[in-house]
Amino acid sequence: TIPCLFDAMRRNHDYVRRTAAQALQQILDEHAIPYLIEALKDEHDDIRKIAAANLAQLGHEQAIPSLTEILTHYHWPVRQIAADVLAAIVPMTQDRKLLKQAARALWWRLTDIDPVKKSAFHALEHTASRLVLLDDLTLARTSSFVLFEENQ
């Protein structure tokens, strides 16, 4: 049934994509990550939100490179959702390289429009905290400085 849901995620009808995304939410399979990431770019807001919730629940660091790429999407709600999902995933991430990638991408979003900036700021707080826990103090200090500057 999972391959059928993946196929449904590529259909033209938003109702079919929405239903498939909701079904995937019940299954929570790591194989769904590439399809859920693609669904973050869907033209319909509710499909993007379902995909984001699924990715946040899965919490798999495999999604970080694609999410950081999506942070440059032309549609600001897509960038905001990507930052929100990163905020949910980075606290569980062990890979310093992925955390650094997320921190750098989020840092650039601090100059975005307010909804994206707020989500990026929140995700960057989580990223800096995680880097401190993993003893990567160089980037954490840089991120903390950016966070401190933003709060002023």
Side-chain angles (χ1 to χ4, degrees):
T1 61
I2 293 176
C4 293
L5 292 173
F6 294 157
D7 185 50
M9 291 292 293
R10 295 188 198 125
R11 299 292 178 174
N12 288 334
H13 301 290
D14 63 319
Y15 175 77
V16 174
R17 292 192 313 275
R18 183 182 313 107
T19 303
Q22 289 170 332
L24 283 171
Q25 192 170 18
Q26 302 303 314
I27 297 170
L28 290 178
D29 187 295
E30 289 182 12
H31 294 95
I33 291 173
Y35 300 97
L36 294 170
I37 288 170
E38 192 60 34
L40 289 177
K41 302 176 203 171
D42 197 280
E43 63 190 52
H44 294 282
D45 196 37
D46 55 338
I47 295 172
R48 289 193 304 262
K49 288 178 182 176
I50 292 168
N54 289 352
L55 283 168
Q57 272 189 294
L58 283 168
H60 201 283
E61 61 189 31
Q62 169 192 348
I64 291 175
S66 297
L67 289 166
T68 58
E69 183 180 317
I70 290 172
L71 284 172
T72 62
H73 195 273
Y74 69 93
H75 195 47
W76 72 262
V78 174
R79 295 192 307 272
Q80 181 182 15
I81 287 175
D84 289 339
V85 174
L86 280 168
I89 292 175
V90 295
M92 298 171 269
T93 301
Q94 297 294 323
D95 188 322
R96 287 180 177 86
K97 183 179 175 186
L98 291 174
L99 287 166
K100 289 177 183 181
Q101 180 182 4
R104 287 183 186 104
L106 290 163
W107 185 82
W108 287 106
R109 295 288 48 120
L110 293 178
T111 60
D112 211 320
I113 65 171
D114 281 347
V116 178
K117 183 191 307 186
K118 288 177 184 175
S119 292
F121 181 77
H122 179 68
L124 194 55
E125 284 180 308
H126 286 288
T127 306
S129 297
R130 189 68 185 149
L131 285 166
V132 167
L133 287 173
L134 294 175
D135 292 328
D136 201 330
L137 299 178
T138 304
L139 189 61
R141 282 188 194 117
T142 303
S143 299
S144 296
F145 176 73
V146 169
L147 295 176
F148 178 75
E149 287 279 307
E150 185 68 21
N151 279 330
Q152 297 302 319

